[in-house]
Amino acid sequence: MDGDSQIATESQTTFAVEPSTALAYLDPHYWDQRFAHEEHYEWFKEYSHFRHLIRQHVEPNSSVLEVGCGNSQLCEELYKDGITEITCIDLSAVAVEKMQKRLQSKGYKEIKVLEADMLDLPFGNECFDVVIEKGTMDVLFVDSGDPWNPQAATVSKAMAMLRGVHRVLKPDGIFISITFGQPHFRRPIFTAPEFTWSVEWNTFGDGFHYFFYILRKGRRSSESNGLMEKFEMPSVSLFHDELETEDYLFRTNLDEL
């Protein structure tokens, strides 16, 4: 390895470590700097861990919007599974430019990548069969205060995101949310009266349980409203290899450690 390559590698390695506080995730400049140095990071497990759930709910001919793509390979994995009508958005211009170049180099020319704000989606009504986010909504909650009673500003942002998702989904379309957010914390926003979707979920992962929510537009019923009351939390054992991943920051305020 030559000197320049070694310096570049060391720079990526240094920047890729977790920030000193989870509040950094709320700073757009943090993401621009990170994406400028980091080629790929996968939040909440690789695609193979939840592929069986995707295949149960997403048809190959679905039009898919990925919210907060960052430098994830999710869109590529969906494409390899035959889901080719994909639009990705991210707030970071750096992430968008690098993702566009990466996809072009691999021949995935059908995948669109746009710079856009998930709180103000620039799409018409009812234009996607599926909207999917993986860890993007969790960023809104890193400074939410009491998880049982989050700050009003946090709730306002989360609701803005969900209103946009609900609006751009076609009738009977689905929103997939892959998250650390447990049902008793997500329920108040997912089941707000203005939304018509039903809510169900699965879990995946070892040690930490990640939640895979499926919200289907136009399917809300009295049965789905009471569904979450029956939920029992899975036991959680924190394996060392899971604790070393950056995902852990979404459960821990480092300032309190």
Side-chain angles (χ1 to χ4, degrees), residues 75-102:
C75 64
E76 298 174 42
E77 297 297 339
L78 293 172
Y79 188 92
K80 292 175 185 176
D81 256 353
I83 304 166
T84 57
E85 191 177 342
I86 304 171
T87 301
C88 304
I89 66 167
D90 201 279
L91 190 59
S92 169
V94 177
V96 168
E97 182 180 2
K98 292 188 72 172
M99 178 71 82
Q100 289 172 339
K101 291 180 178 178
R102 190 176 84 193

Side-chain angles (χ1 to χ4, degrees), residues 18-26 30 142 246 249 252-255:
E18 62 268 15
S20 60
T21 172
L23 295 180
Y25 294 133
L26 298 174
Y30 165 79
V142 298
E246 195 174 356
L249 286 177
T252 305
N253 184 341
L254 295 183
D255 293 334

Side-chain angles (χ1 to χ4, degrees), residues 74-219:
L74 176 59
C75 64
E76 298 174 42
E77 297 297 339
L78 293 172
Y79 188 92
K80 292 175 185 176
D81 256 353
I83 304 166
T84 57
E85 191 177 342
I86 304 171
T87 301
C88 304
I89 66 167
D90 201 279
L91 190 59
S92 169
V94 177
V96 168
E97 182 180 2
K98 292 188 72 172
M99 178 71 82
Q100 289 172 339
K101 291 180 178 178
R102 190 176 84 193
L103 294 175
Q104 285 288 325
S105 70
K106 295 184 177 182
Y108 301 146
K109 297 180 180 180
E110 297 93 332
I111 302 177
K112 301 182 181 70
V113 189
L114 308 173
E115 182 182 348
D117 188 345
M118 67 182 181
L119 304 185
D120 187 19
L121 295 176
F123 305 106
N125 297 341
E126 300 183 353
C127 55
F128 293 101
D129 297 301
V130 179
V131 177
I132 184 168
E133 67 90 14
K134 185 157 77 83
T136 306
M137 179 177 285
D138 292 65
V139 173
L140 299 178
F141 287 88
V142 298
D143 190 29
S144 62
D146 178 2
W148 295 100
N149 187 27
Q151 296 175 7
T154 298
V155 175
S156 178
K157 290 180 180 179
M159 290 297 292
M161 175 184 177
L162 292 176
R163 288 188 188 104
V165 169
H166 192 272
R167 179 181 62 80
V168 303
L169 278 175
K170 296 178 182 179
D172 209 36
I174 63 173
F175 173 42
I176 294 174
S177 177
I178 301 171
T179 174
F180 267 149
Q182 299 167 347
H184 44 270
F185 297 137
R186 288 292 188 261
R187 178 186 177 186
I189 57 172
F190 282 167
T191 61
E194 63 193 272
F195 302 131
T196 67
W197 44 40
S198 59
V199 181
E200 61 180 291
W201 66 89
N202 295 96
T203 60
F204 66 93
D206 298 321
F208 282 157
H209 282 83
Y210 302 87
F211 292 88
F212 186 102
Y213 291 96
I214 308 99
L215 286 66
R216 189 174 295 276
K217 187 175 179 178
R219 294 292 189 91

Side-chain angles (χ1 to χ4, degrees), residues 28-43:
H29 297 295
Y30 165 79
W31 292 108
D32 282 343
Q33 292 177 31
R34 174 169 180 160
F35 292 137
H37 292 83
E38 180 183 71
E39 295 304 316
H40 170 243
Y41 186 87
E42 207 64 60
W43 298 93

